[in-house]
Amino acid sequence: MPASIARSIAKDRRPPPAGTTSASQYVNQWTEAEALGDERVRAFVLILRTRGCYWADLKGCSMCGYAKDTLGRSATPGELAQQLDSALRVYQGEPYVKIYTSGSFLDDREVDAGSRQRIVERFAARARRLLFETLPEFATGTALEPLRSAFPGELEVALGLESTQPEVLLRYVSKNSPPEAYLEAADRIRRTGLRAKGYLLLKPPYLTEREAIEDVVTSVRIAAPHFDALSINPVHIQNGTVVEWLYHRGRYRPPWLWSLTEVMRRSAAHRGTSRLMTFPTAGGLARGPHNCGSCDRRFMAALEEASLSQQFEVLSDVSCSCGAEWRTHNLLEPLGVEA
Ligand code: SF4
Ligand SMILES: [Zn+2]
């Protein structure tokens, strides 16, 4: 893809500066299945509306369309407090709370230090684990230590590592920092007494299905010693992204659920003490990871069960005749996809 097209995709997805009404509304909220150790729990997920990821302004990652959910300017502490108040009105005391922005919770331009402190404090008496996501450069002792002091339970910091292979991360995913920056940040987070969770991306653009599988299996092996948990995120097609541009031109197919199942099965053997999980977005849909259509639900159920129980044998029991097509696709895809 020409660099000018990638630049114009990045520019187009940022909205104009928002008024105060939308700034007082969070982007989304839902609950989902999770596990705390062996215990199955509900997790409360909240997406705050902020100025969004600074990297999305400069270049942006090839699969990320989160900029459309941003304000186009920084939220004020008062607006963030209004978003939090609305979220707390629907919070039912779920023990696991996940707070995302469309970028980095620890970037002062998105969530100022005072607001971060207040958000963590408001959940402190009720949640047992609180997760937030950040780019590695913001995961400093200065940012983390006050939050750790404000939260008696477990704080978990999520990092979008995506791949431990520099070429995949910097050229194909188009992240701003090399893999070592993520691994070093995870080490810093754990030294500060917090949990580190890594997200790995299955099938960035320009990799074949088979290369994508091997990329994640390798990444789990290298990243596992640095993280308490690793979550495999298969690519789904988000609006206004490079991946969508390729998808509309027949140059990209989201990964098969077969591939995700193979990745989980093989990676289970070398995850060490790290939890390994996957909760795919848009699983079974055309724009998300999918198989033939008739087996997708069964594969999704097996993947969720393995993720929650950490028992991966269930993944060897799922099957479908579309496995033959997947194997053929693995062999032929390089012929149809522009590198
Ligand atoms: S994936 Fe993360 S780092 Fe990349 S543009 Fe999106 S929010 Fe920013
Ligand atoms: Zn099938």
Side-chain angles (χ1 to χ4, degrees):
M1 169 188 286
S4 59
I5 294 177
R7 270 197 304 277
S8 92
I9 289 173
K11 188 162 164 269
D12 287 352
R13 53 194 176 190
R14 174 76 68 198
T20 49
T21 310
S22 58
S24 60
Q25 283 299 315
Y26 55 74
V27 175
N28 205 352
Q29 176 281 317
W30 66 88
T31 67
E32 62 189 21
E34 255 294 358
L36 286 172
D38 292 336
E39 185 186 351
R40 308 264 176 124
V41 298
R42 297 300 294 172
F44 179 85
V45 185
L46 172 65
I47 318 282
L48 292 172
R49 199 180 297 279
T50 69
R51 81 170 293 290
C53 175
Y54 84 94
W55 178 242
D57 286 346
L58 300 176
K59 188 171 184 190
C61 299
S62 55
M63 73 304 183
C64 176
Y66 295 147
K68 70 177 180 356
D69 294 327
T70 61
L71 278 175
R73 62 169 175 82
S74 292
T76 65
E79 288 165 343
L80 289 168
Q82 284 178 300
Q83 294 185 36
L84 179 63
D85 285 343
S86 327
L88 285 166
R89 280 196 283 277
V90 290
Y91 176 58
Q92 301 281 319
E94 289 84 356
Y96 199 158
V97 172
K98 304 178 184 180
I99 298 180
Y100 297 98
T101 68
S102 300
S104 294
F105 184 72
L106 296 182
D107 182 350
D108 290 345
R109 291 164 290 188
E110 292 194 53
V111 185
D112 60 280
S115 296
R116 289 200 293 268
Q117 193 76 11
R118 280 188 288 280
I119 291 167
V120 168
E121 281 168 0
R122 295 286 292 276
F123 285 104
R126 301 177 72 185
R128 281 151 54 193
R129 181 182 294 171
L130 188 143
L131 171 148
F132 52 81
E133 184 175 15
T134 187
L135 280 169
E137 57 266 43
F138 302 117
T140 61
T142 313
L144 293 171
E145 272 158 20
L147 301 179
R148 189 194 54 182
S149 309
F151 193 80
E154 293 177 312
L155 281 182
E156 185 169 48
V157 184
L159 299 167
L161 165 62
E162 320 299 7
S163 170
T164 59
Q165 306 202 68
E167 187 179 23
V168 173
L169 189 63
L170 296 171
R171 287 192 61 201
Y172 304 160
V173 179
S174 198
K175 275 272 162 106
N176 61 336
S177 306
E180 306 81 65
Y182 289 82
L183 301 181
E184 286 163 13
D187 294 344
R188 271 199 311 279
I189 289 163
R190 293 171 96 181
R191 277 199 304 274
T192 316
L194 285 72
R195 287 172 59 87
K197 180 175 187 176
Y199 295 129
L200 295 171
L201 190 70
L202 176 61
K203 205 174 176 190
Y206 317 118
L207 289 185
T208 65
E209 193 83 16
R210 181 48 50 191
E211 289 169 337
I213 292 168
E214 300 307 324
D215 173 55
V216 181
V217 171
T218 301
S219 295
V220 170
R221 186 170 45 74
I222 293 173
H226 301 267
F227 287 91
D228 298 286
L230 289 170
S231 181
I232 316 295
N233 290 341
V235 166
H236 68 284
I237 313 287
Q238 299 184 28
N239 293 334
T241 60
V242 168
V243 167
E244 187 187 47
W245 192 94
L246 294 167
Y247 173 70
H248 284 319
R249 285 157 183 79
R251 301 293 187 184
Y252 184 83
R253 185 212 190 272
W256 290 69
L257 289 169
W258 277 105
S259 304
L260 181 56
T261 304
E262 178 180 330
V263 163
M264 291 289 285
R265 236 181 347 91
R266 288 174 55 196
S267 299
H270 49 245
R271 69 193 165 96
T273 55
S274 175
R275 285 183 77 91
L276 181 68
M277 64 197 72
T278 184
F279 299 103
T281 301
L285 303 179
R287 290 172 72 103
H290 62 275
N291 284 350
C292 68
S294 65
C295 64
D296 295 52
R297 280 187 178 200
R298 279 189 289 115
F299 274 73
M300 289 287 288
L303 289 161
E304 177 172 314
E305 179 54 31
S307 299
L308 293 173
S309 66
Q310 297 295 285
Q311 305 294 320
F312 297 91
E313 300 77 22
V314 64
L315 298 176
S316 302
D317 297 340
V318 275
S319 189
C320 181
S321 57
C322 69
E325 192 190 334
W326 168 65
R327 279 185 285 277
T328 308
H329 177 86
N330 284 354
L331 291 172
L332 297 179
E333 190 184 43
L335 303 177
V337 176
E338 190 178 67

